[in-house]
């Protein structure tokens, strides 16, 4: 779950990371009033959860409250990468001398957080890593010990930050680690962290991405979710506790188990098909949950076939089949349905589905082949 810039910076401030003066405006008139409070010069920043706001014209510098109102009118009427701009952050303009990148994320290879910094802040850090990797400095953090002072100083030295700024940089880096840890974030980023004309540092922009699996520990953060960012189908899936991500293919997938779902998508792609979604219904899903999953898949007008890939371990395949049939009675799909059932009582489960004129398969490869063929409009053998 991504947080808006202004939400991220509010959290930064609670951990004593310096941020610019500013507030959020919902109207151009509010933007003008905030700019007046800030002394006239202000930056108008679209609050949408996508990158590239500046290139899209979503970040503007106003020299006066009147210009702030005019620019806010323009920005509030924009769509950036399909998302409407409903609010703008009006920040005090800063006297920027140097821009730095500072971010924390998890390194899956080491199983530990990694703090990343670069003197090439303010631009795409991935591009810097690709073109000038020597400009990226990293330190790995022991989760049991946290970020130590000497590690932050090593990072400052590694990116050749002038020694005069090491003290404040270390304080900000350690505060950012506390944000990362205590919010259960998967990413906490300041880009740019700027050095002002007077020598002090300021977090000019901020980004926090939260781990959805830890949101139960942070209900106050879960309430900050921006529904504009999500497809309606993803919001509906969350209501039923389904793991669902909409994709751009035409083979709908309903699978029990995240790893199996990924494997299913890979096989479909390998066979020349295109998965329409990732969907994990979990183990032992009741009929109403299966029905909700089918309805969500079929709400995608691009779906031309649905592949159900169910592995029955503790869950019996005949019970899964009955749940699928109950769900189909409710949803009444108008596209072919291919089911691969393997596990306890699999023969009985396949028999029940075959009697209902569903296309069945005994292996993932067979099921995926039939689903891809159906999506392409090819004739496939029907059971019965």
């Amino acid at each position: 779950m991504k947080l808006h810039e202004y939400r991220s910076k509010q959290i930064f401030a609670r951990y004593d990371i310096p941020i610019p003066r500013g507030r959020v405006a919902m109207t151009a008139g509010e933007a003008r009033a905030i700019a007046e409070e800030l002394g006239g010069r202000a930056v108008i920043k679209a609050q949408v959860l996508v990158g590239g706001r500046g290139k899209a014209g979503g970040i503007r510098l106003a020299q006066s409250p009147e210009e702030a109102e005019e620019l806010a009118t323009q920005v509030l009427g924009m769509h950036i990468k399909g998302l409407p701009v409903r609010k703008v952050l009006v920040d005090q303009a800063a006297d920027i001398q140097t821009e730095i990148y500072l971010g924390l994320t998890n390194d899956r290879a080491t199983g530990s957080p990694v703090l990343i910094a670069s003197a090439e802040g303010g631009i795409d850090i991935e591009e810097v890593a690709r073109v000038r990797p020597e400009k990226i400095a990293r330190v790995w953090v022991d989760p049991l010990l946290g970020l130590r002072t000497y590690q932050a100083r090593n990072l400052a030295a590694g990116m050749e930050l002038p020694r005069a700024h090491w003290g404040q940089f270390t304080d900000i880096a350690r505060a950012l680690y506390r944000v990362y840890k205590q919010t259960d974030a998967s990413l906490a980023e300041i880009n740019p962290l700027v050095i002002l004309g007077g020598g002090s540092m300021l977090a000019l922009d901020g980004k926090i991405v939260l781990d959805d699996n830890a949101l139960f520990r942070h209900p106050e953060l879960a309430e900050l979710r921006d529904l504009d960012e999500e497809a309606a189908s993803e919001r509906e899936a969350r209501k039923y506790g389904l793991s669902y991500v909409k994709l751009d293919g035409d083979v709908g997938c309903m699978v029990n188990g995240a790893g199996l779902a990924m494997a299913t998508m890979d096989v479909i792609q390998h066979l020349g098909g295109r998965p329409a979604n990732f969907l994990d219904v979990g183990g032992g899903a009741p009929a109403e949950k299966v029905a909700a999953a089918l309805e969500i898949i079929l709400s995608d007008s691009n779906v031309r076939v649905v592949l159900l890939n169910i592995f029955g371990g503790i869950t019996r395949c005949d019970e899964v089949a009955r749940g699928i049939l109950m769900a189909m009675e409710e949803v009444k799909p108008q596209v072919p349905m291919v089911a691969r059932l393997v596990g306890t009582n699999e023969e009985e489960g396949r028999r029940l589905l075959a009697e209902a004129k569903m296309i069945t398969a005994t292996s993932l490869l067979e099921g995926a082949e039939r689903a891809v063929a159906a999506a392409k409009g090819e004739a496939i053998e029907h059971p019965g």
Side-chain angles (χ1 to χ4, degrees):
M1 171 183 153
K2 299 176 183 177
L3 295 183
H4 278 292
E5 173 194 355
Y6 76 96
R7 298 286 193 190
S8 298
K9 285 157 72 173
Q10 287 170 354
I11 293 173
F12 289 169
R14 293 203 291 268
Y15 288 80
D16 296 324
I17 296 174
I19 63 170
R21 292 174 57 214
R23 289 192 289 114
V24 169
M26 306 290 287
T27 67
E30 290 178 3
R32 174 175 179 154
I34 296 169
E36 288 175 349
E37 294 173 12
L38 298 176
R41 291 184 75 243
V43 181
I44 311 299
K45 308 178 78 174
Q47 296 300 286
V48 286
L49 294 172
V50 294
R53 293 175 299 165
K55 293 178 181 178
I59 300 178
R60 309 283 187 88
L61 174 62
Q63 300 294 339
S64 66
E66 293 76 19
E67 188 178 8
E69 182 175 20
E70 179 185 344
L71 294 177
T73 300
Q74 298 173 18
V75 174
L76 286 167
M78 297 176 65
H79 281 70
I80 299 178
K81 296 184 180 179
L83 295 180
V85 180
R86 303 189 188 280
K87 55 178 78 79
V88 293
L89 175 61
V90 184
D91 265 354
Q92 187 174 34
D95 176 20
I96 301 171
Q97 300 298 309
T98 303
E99 296 186 350
I100 298 166
Y101 173 88
L102 182 64
L104 262 159
T105 189
N106 190 48
D107 183 345
R108 296 183 182 274
T110 63
S112 63
V114 57
L115 182 64
I116 305 169
S118 174
E120 303 283 332
I123 57 177
D124 190 345
I125 193 66
E126 291 83 4
E127 182 67 11
V128 175
R130 185 180 69 84
V131 178
R132 294 187 299 280
E134 73 280 0
K135 295 294 185 180
I136 306 290
R138 300 176 178 86
V139 295
W140 284 262
V141 183
D142 186 326
L144 298 179
L145 299 176
L147 179 66
R148 315 312 292 172
T149 300
Y150 78 88
Q151 291 180 301
R153 288 176 178 165
N154 287 346
L155 199 66
M159 65 174 180
E160 300 178 349
L161 185 69
R163 186 178 288 270
H165 303 297
W166 285 15
Q168 190 177 14
F169 176 83
T170 297
D171 291 341
I172 292 173
R174 297 190 72 192
L176 186 65
Y177 179 77
R178 292 195 296 275
V179 170
Y180 174 81
K181 181 178 179 180
Q182 293 176 22
T183 61
D184 286 308
S186 59
L187 174 70
E189 179 181 87
I190 304 173
N191 188 28
L193 172 64
V194 301
I195 301 174
L196 302 177
S200 61
M201 287 185 165
L202 200 62
L204 217 59
D205 199 350
K207 179 178 181 179
I208 297 176
V209 180
L210 303 173
D211 183 349
D212 283 357
N213 295 315
L215 283 176
F216 71 94
R217 290 198 287 262
H218 307 282
E220 76 288 355
L221 297 179
E223 293 176 359
L224 305 181
R225 187 185 295 274
D226 184 350
L227 299 182
D228 281 338
E229 184 209 10
E230 299 180 321
S233 53
E234 293 180 6
R235 295 198 296 270
E236 187 70 12
R238 194 169 60 254
K239 283 171 45 180
Y240 290 93
L242 297 166
S243 297
Y244 173 86
V245 179
K246 186 182 183 307
L247 304 173
D248 59 1
D250 53 13
V251 179
C253 304
M254 187 171 76
V255 190
N256 65 333
L260 188 60
M262 296 296 290
T264 302
M265 295 163 60
D266 286 346
V267 171
I268 289 170
Q269 192 81 27
H270 176 72
L271 294 171
R274 296 181 303 132
N277 62 272
F278 167 96
L279 194 150
D280 171 18
V281 296
E288 59 268 22
K289 194 171 183 180
V290 173
L294 277 176
E295 190 167 355
I296 289 167
I297 292 172
L298 295 171
S299 67
D300 183 351
S301 60
N302 293 327
V303 169
R304 303 184 65 185
V305 62
V306 176
L307 172 61
L308 300 97
N309 185 16
I310 305 296
F311 176 80
I314 297 174
T315 305
R316 287 166 38 187
C317 287
D318 57 328
E319 292 182 350
V320 172
R322 291 187 179 94
I324 291 171
L325 294 177
M326 290 174 61
M328 288 177 63
E329 282 294 316
E330 180 179 338
V331 178
K332 300 188 185 309
Q334 302 300 309
V335 298
M337 305 280 290
V338 180
R340 177 253 189 176
L341 286 178
V342 174
T344 307
N345 289 1
E346 62 183 81
E347 295 86 357
E348 176 66 8
R350 283 196 294 269
R351 184 188 66 79
L352 290 170
L353 296 180
E355 288 179 353
K357 304 302 181 184
M358 280 188 65
I359 304 163
T360 61
T362 58
S363 71
L364 171 55
L365 182 61
E366 180 188 4
E369 286 175 341
R370 293 187 172 198
V372 171
K376 293 179 178 179
E378 299 173 6
I380 56 176
E381 182 183 350
H382 201 289

